[in-house]
Amino acid sequence: MEWISNQNHVLLALAATLMTWAMTALGAAMVFFFKEIKQSVLNTMLGFAAGVMIAASFWSLLAPAIELAEDSFLPAWLVAAIGFVGGAGFLAVADRIIPHMHFNAKDGESEGISTHLKRSILLVFSITLHNIPEGLAVGVAFGAVANEMGSLSVMSAIAVAIGIGIQNFPEGAAVSIPLRREGLSRSRSFFYGQASGFVEPVAGVVGAASVMFIRPILPYALAFAAGAMIFVVVEELIPEAQSGNHKSTHLATAGCIIGFAVMMILDVALG
């Protein structure tokens, strides 16, 4: 019966991350209505996404990780720190290996291993890279619920999924519309935009299955997802959101504050 329950939570994680991917696709569909996106709007979207991820990293991941680690033979703060640094380190290695390019980068300024891939593909890889920890965060949250450990509840896990889904909508638009500006057709821009979010269901299922069947790694896994998300925020979202004139950077800051507040309210109210 326990295996059946665990299987149900894997399916819940899959359903939740399919929803977050669908929100990315809905956002990417904005390319059928708009060809251009103002720098100020793009910066606000990226700032909002950063705020959501920062709030989710603490309330939905780090705080539960510390609580669950209280019974560990290591100090709870050390468990959380190990997982957090491990998550950031994993993304740092991936950032150096996976070829990608930031939207404000010029031609020839790609990161990762050397490649001859087109600029449009490298731009998509950039977004795909930071969708991995988002999917992990949702999956690990549902895995924690299946283990019935700590104060995490189904509503807490759902709150994480809703928060990630909300920020995925503008994120999808922030991918597809610039790709249209790069010269791709609307249909191709939409395809690449929604495809950037499809890694989330994969990461979600992997995260949920891992922590449910290897219970001792749960606090580490929660902190790992938090570290990976904070790395993305500091390495990619905030620098890109702060590009442009002072007006657009101020809007990015406002977007971050609003995103943080939205995710905090969701987690506290639903969790």
Side-chain angles (χ1 to χ4, degrees):
M1 292 299 293
E2 181 181 358
W3 181 86
I4 295 175
S5 175
N6 286 347
Q7 185 183 48
N8 287 341
H9 282 84
V10 171
L11 293 176
L12 282 174
L14 175 61
T17 46
L18 283 173
M19 181 275 292
T20 62
W21 164 71
M23 292 295 290
T24 302
L26 282 175
M30 293 297 101
V31 75
F32 294 111
F33 304 97
F34 306 98
K35 185 177 180 179
E36 296 286 339
I37 182 170
K38 292 183 178 180
Q39 185 68 45
S40 59
V41 175
L42 178 60
N43 286 13
T44 305
M45 289 177 174
L46 293 173
F48 181 86
V52 169
M53 292 175 71
I54 293 171
S57 295
F58 177 73
W59 270 281
S60 302
L61 299 171
L62 272 179
I66 294 172
E67 178 188 351
L68 294 175
E70 292 293 342
D71 296 330
S72 173
F73 67 92
L74 291 176
W77 58 266
L78 180 58
V79 171
I82 291 172
F84 186 84
V85 174
F90 171 79
L91 258 291
V93 172
D95 186 70
R96 287 182 172 273
I97 295 175
I98 298 175
H100 63 284
M101 178 180 287
H102 302 297
F103 283 100
N104 57 5
K106 299 177 181 178
D107 289 335
E109 293 183 345
S110 62
E111 299 182 19
I113 60 174
S114 179
T115 180
H116 297 293
L117 291 173
K118 294 181 179 179
R119 174 182 170 89
S120 58
I121 302 298
L122 292 174
L123 291 172
V124 173
F125 279 2
S126 177
I127 301 299
T128 302
L129 184 64
H130 75 65
N131 280 335
I132 294 173
E134 294 175 10
L136 278 175
V138 176
V140 169
F142 277 100
V145 173
N147 274 319
E148 298 180 349
M149 297 178 69
S151 60
L152 283 166
S153 65
V154 172
M155 293 307 296
S156 299
I158 291 174
V160 177
I162 291 174
I164 297 297
I166 289 173
Q167 65 97 26
N168 274 0
F169 181 85
E171 194 174 84
V175 178
S176 63
I177 295 177
L179 287 177
R180 174 63 175 162
R181 192 173 59 230
E182 293 284 329
L184 274 68
S185 66
R186 282 188 168 88
S187 58
R188 289 187 66 190
S189 297
F190 168 74
F191 175 78
Y192 287 136
Q194 62 82 31
S196 68
F198 197 70
V199 69
E200 289 189 12
V202 177
V205 169
V206 170
S210 298
V211 300
M212 285 192 302
F213 295 110
I214 315 177
R215 289 174 62 119
I217 73 167
L218 181 53
Y220 295 95
L222 287 165
F224 182 96
M229 291 216 293
I230 293 298
F231 177 89
V232 167
V233 170
V234 178
E235 174 73 12
E236 298 190 18
L237 292 182
I238 289 179
E240 291 186 18
Q242 290 296 316
S243 62
N245 56 42
H246 289 300
K247 180 181 178 181
S248 62
T249 59
H250 290 331
L251 288 172
T253 302
C256 184
I257 297 299
I258 293 171
F260 187 98
V262 167
M263 186 64 231
M264 178 180 65
I265 291 169
L266 278 174
D267 194 88
V268 175
L270 295 182

